[in-house]
């Protein structure tokens, strides 16, 4: 059974068939899903989804590109919801300099990233970190606030194997999804080959980044076997070994156990 560590089933792309899709997960080998909020509306919908489906757990946080959603009221809401039993992480938080080039905006991203990291530390929750075109600043900020004291995962990892090793030294997990199946994804394939198996999580980031052979279509957790198969091929092990190892890793990070356990 597969543990999906990063999905966005709150996204509007699932509005037409969300119920049908989610109710098919267990029969297709998807055991547990972490639904990850990225803006405030997505966080609210994440709480609704985790309350409706026993196998869905929630992460709440504001993506760096959506920090305009953060104010006194929304910060208070986030703080209150961290006490819910099925909220298992703060995320998706971090830095994204791909779209936002202005120093003022990047500075605000860093300030809100730090605030949400500290929220996670206060509440004893792990973090789900997004970092795009911001490798140096992400690592610098994390080291500056002693992020090794806050467990977490670097989601949709896109940097070098050397950078991955730095995060692993800090105790972090590395999230690997559909990009690893792309022919030109040299860096991600190197990361998948070199990061210790006990530090890898399976994820989709759905509805985005569908793997081969479904690249370019709406992604879902049902595509995770393709990701597991590619990691297995790269490492010279079986897909079943990848699925079981990443399942245990995610259970350990998020404090979630299978019902039978």
């Amino acid at each position: 059974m597969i543990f999906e560590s990063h999905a966005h089933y709150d996204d509007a792309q699932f509005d037409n068939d969300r119920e049908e899709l989610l109710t098919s997960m267990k029969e297709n080998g998807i055991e547990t899903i972490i639904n990850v909020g990225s803006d405030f509306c997505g966080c609210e919908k994440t709480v609704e989804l985790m309350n409706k489906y026993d196998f869905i757990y929630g992460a709440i946080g504001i993506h760096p590109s959506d920090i305009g959603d953060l104010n006194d009221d929304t910060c208070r809401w986030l703080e209150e919801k961290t006490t819910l039993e099925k909220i298992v992480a703060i995320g998706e938080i971090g830095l994204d300099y791909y779209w936002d080039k202005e120093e003022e905006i990047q500075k605000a991203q860093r300030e809100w990233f730090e605030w949400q990291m500290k929220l996670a530390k206060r509440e004893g929750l792990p973090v789900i970190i997004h970092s795009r075109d911001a490798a140096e600043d992400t690592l610098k900020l994390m080291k500056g606030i002693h992020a090794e004291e806050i467990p977490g995962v670097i989601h949709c990892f896109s940097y070098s194997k050397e950078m991955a090793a730095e995060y692993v030294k800090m105790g972090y997990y590395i999230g690997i999804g559909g990009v690893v199946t792309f022919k030109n994804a040299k860096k991600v394939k190197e990361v998948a080959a070199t990061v210790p198996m006990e530090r890898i999580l399976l994820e989709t980031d759905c509805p985005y980044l569908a793997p081969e052979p479904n690249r370019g279509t709406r992604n879902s957790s049902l595509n995770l076997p393709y990701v597991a198969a590619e990691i297995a091929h790269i490492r010279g092990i079986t897909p079943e070994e990848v699925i079981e190892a990443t399942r245990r890793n995610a259970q350990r990070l998020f404090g979630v156990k299978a019902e039978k356990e």
Side-chain angles (χ1 to χ4, degrees):
M1 296 292 279
I2 294 173
F3 194 123
E4 155 76 282
S5 68
H6 195 116
H8 299 287
Y9 286 110
D10 55 282
D11 192 280
Q13 290 190 48
F14 295 108
D15 284 353
N16 291 332
D17 63 346
R18 184 179 290 108
E19 174 81 12
E20 179 183 359
L21 180 61
L22 290 176
T23 54
S24 75
M25 288 296 167
K26 288 193 176 181
E27 67 191 59
N28 284 289
I30 309 301
E31 179 182 38
T32 309
I33 294 171
I34 306 295
N35 200 81
V36 184
S38 59
D39 58 15
F40 185 67
C41 181
C43 289
E44 291 181 310
K45 290 180 179 177
T46 291
V47 172
E48 293 174 8
L49 286 168
M50 74 181 197
N51 286 336
K52 183 173 182 179
Y53 299 96
D54 63 346
F55 60 95
I56 293 182
Y57 293 79
I60 52 172
I62 305 300
H63 185 285
S65 296
D66 292 293
I67 55 172
D69 285 359
L70 285 163
N71 54 52
D72 288 346
D73 290 339
T74 53
C75 287
R76 191 177 306 113
W77 185 93
L78 288 171
E79 290 171 333
E80 291 172 354
K81 298 305 178 186
T82 59
T83 63
L84 296 176
E85 184 179 358
K86 290 186 74 181
I87 293 294
V88 296
I90 300 297
E92 176 175 354
I93 65 175
L95 301 178
D96 192 320
Y97 294 172
Y98 181 79
W99 297 110
D100 299 313
K101 309 297 186 185
E102 299 86 353
E103 174 53 33
E104 184 179 349
I105 295 175
Q106 293 181 358
K107 181 174 181 288
Q109 285 191 8
R110 292 191 293 271
E111 290 171 350
W112 282 118
F113 180 25
E114 183 171 344
W115 183 85
Q116 292 183 96
M117 289 287 286
K118 289 179 177 178
L119 171 63
K121 186 174 183 178
R122 287 198 307 272
E123 301 299 332
L125 290 172
V127 289
I128 297 173
I129 294 176
H130 170 106
S131 180
R132 187 179 188 191
D133 285 5
E136 184 178 346
D137 279 3
T138 303
L139 190 60
K140 180 180 177 182
L141 186 149
M142 290 176 67
K143 287 187 173 180
I145 62 171
H146 299 287
E148 69 276 4
E149 299 173 1
I150 310 167
V153 55
I154 311 299
H155 141 72
C156 196
F157 195 85
S158 60
Y159 300 135
S160 67
K161 62 183 180 181
E162 291 80 12
M163 185 68 75
E166 286 291 315
Y167 285 115
V168 169
K169 285 179 189 175
M170 296 171 69
Y172 276 72
Y173 293 83
I174 303 297
I176 297 179
V179 174
V180 76
T181 68
F182 300 172
K183 290 180 180 178
N184 62 346
K186 181 181 176 182
K187 284 186 179 180
V188 180
K189 291 180 188 292
E190 288 179 346
V191 168
T194 57
V195 167
M197 198 64 234
E198 62 268 21
R199 286 288 152 181
I200 294 176
L201 299 186
L202 285 183
E203 60 170 54
T204 58
D205 200 24
C206 66
Y208 313 107
L209 299 175
E212 298 287 0
N214 298 323
R215 186 175 183 179
T217 66
R218 185 189 71 174
N219 200 6
S220 84
S221 306
L222 302 182
N223 281 323
L224 281 170
Y226 296 115
V227 180
E230 180 63 20
I231 295 172
H233 172 72
I234 289 169
R235 299 184 73 97
I237 59 178
T238 67
E240 291 74 22
E241 287 176 290
V242 172
I243 288 168
E244 182 58 22
T246 55
R247 173 177 177 262
R248 295 294 181 189
N249 295 343
Q251 288 176 338
R252 187 183 316 118
L253 176 62
F254 297 113
V256 173
K257 296 297 182 185
E259 291 178 18
K260 62 179 177 291
E261 296 178 308

